[in-house]
């Protein structure tokens, strides 16, 4: 049932007051899923769905700043998505480009791309590098932009970099293998130096990770929301946070 706006405002305030500040996640990962289905339901072109999804991302980051979330990782484009038809992929790249420009100019978050960036079109790659430099001094919210991202590839890249560095140092590979620890690999992931995600949200009703932060999410809490991403409201986010705050987290079992 859809409530009138004044009632929604009251409900949102009650939700916020029900979430202890010390129970908020530091790092939230979001799989922004459902843009294409939303466009189809609306009878609109696919690009319109991606544009509405981008607008929702800007709003979502504002909610995170208001609540004091430290890190957000947005899963926007997987390596598999790069195989979509050229026409749709071009529209999606255009929307991502515009979003990056908007976020970069706002200066409200520090942006960091993560993924196999060398697979991206040169223009998008250059834009990612530009906004990374442009927002390097921003304080507060840190936003990872996962584009051309694959969880397995991230682990492969981490191990490859670890072994390459060890070889450059002249270390024996058998010794490297003998002393290798999980923390060693963590130190070479795209998110090195950041806390692992406490909460991972996926919209659109799908209940799978699709390779998203496979290593980092080993002990994350998961929240699956039926809303398609363009329809994801602040109240939906607050419900996810309330659910997270109510859980007894268990690490290792």
């Amino acid at each position: 049932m859809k409530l009138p706006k004044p009632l929604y405002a009251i409900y949102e305030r009650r939700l916020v007051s029900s979430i202890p500040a010390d129970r908020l996640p530091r790092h939230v990962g979001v799989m922004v899923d459902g843009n294409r289905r939303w466009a189809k339901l609306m009878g609109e072109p696919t690009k319109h769905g991606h544009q509405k999804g981008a607008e929702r991302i800007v709003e979502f980051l504002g909610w995170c700043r208001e609540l004091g979330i430290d890190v957000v990782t947005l899963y926007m484009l997987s390596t598999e998505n790069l195989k979509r038809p050229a026409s749709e992929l071009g529209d999606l790249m255009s929307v991502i480009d515009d979003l990056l420009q908007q976020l970069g100019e706002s200066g409200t978050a520090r942006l960091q791309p993560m993924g196999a960036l060398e697979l991206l079109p040169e223009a998008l790659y250059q834009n990612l590098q530009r906004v990374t430099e442009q927002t390097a001094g921003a304080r507060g919210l840190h936003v990872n932009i996962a584009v051309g991202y694959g969880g397995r590839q991230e682990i492969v890249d981490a191990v490859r970099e670890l072994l390459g560095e060890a070889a450059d140092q002249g270390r024996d590979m058998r010794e490297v293998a003998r002393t290798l620890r999980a923390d060693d690999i963590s130190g070479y992931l795209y998110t090195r130096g950041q806390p692992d995600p406490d909460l991972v949200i996926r919209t659109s009703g799908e209940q799978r990770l699709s390779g998203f932060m496979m290593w980092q999410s080993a002990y994350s809490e998961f929240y699956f929301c039926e809303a398609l991403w363009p329809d994801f409201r602040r109240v939906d986010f607050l419900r996810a946070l309330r659910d997270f705050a109510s859980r007894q987290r268990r690490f290792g079992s």
Side-chain angles (χ1 to χ4, degrees), residues 3 8-9 15 19 28 37 51-52 57 74 77 97 101 112 149 152 156 188 193 197 204 209 218 224 226 229 240:
L3 298 174
Y8 256 124
L15 279 173
I19 305 169
V28 177
R37 273 175 280 171
Q51 288 173 329
K52 285 296 182 181
I57 284 173
L74 300 167
L77 181 71
D97 261 329
Q101 182 172 340
Q112 176 182 326
Y149 174 85
R152 291 179 176 178
V156 170
Y188 289 89
S204 84
L209 274 182
F224 300 104
E226 291 294 325
W229 176 249

Side-chain angles (χ1 to χ4, degrees), residues 177-198:
R178 188 184 68 80
T179 60
L180 186 64
R181 300 171 301 129
D183 286 346
D184 296 329
I185 295 176
S186 295
Y188 289 89
L189 296 172
Y190 302 148
T191 55
R192 66 194 74 177
Q194 301 177 24
D196 288 339
D198 304 293

Side-chain angles (χ1 to χ4, degrees), residues 1-5 7-16 18-19 56 59-60 63 66-67 201 223 225 227 231-243:
M1 181 178 66
K2 190 171 183 179
L3 298 174
K5 286 186 178 180
L7 293 181
Y8 256 124
I10 295 171
Y11 180 48
E12 285 185 357
R13 287 197 294 271
R14 287 182 177 175
L15 279 173
V16 172
S18 71
I19 305 169
R56 186 63 72 203
E59 289 185 83
F60 176 78
W63 305 336
E66 291 170 8
L67 293 164
I201 299 171
Y223 185 87
C225 179
D231 288 331
F232 189 74
R233 304 160 300 173
R234 186 171 185 265
V235 70
D236 296 312
F237 184 41
L238 293 173
R239 286 170 178 162
L241 296 178
R242 180 182 61 181
D243 183 78

Side-chain angles (χ1 to χ4, degrees), residues 97-119:
D97 261 329
D98 291 344
L99 174 64
L100 289 172
Q101 182 172 340
Q102 182 178 354
L103 295 178
E105 291 175 351
S106 73
T108 55
R110 187 166 64 259
L111 305 182
Q112 176 182 326
M114 52 184 274
L117 305 183
E118 69 279 2
L119 300 178

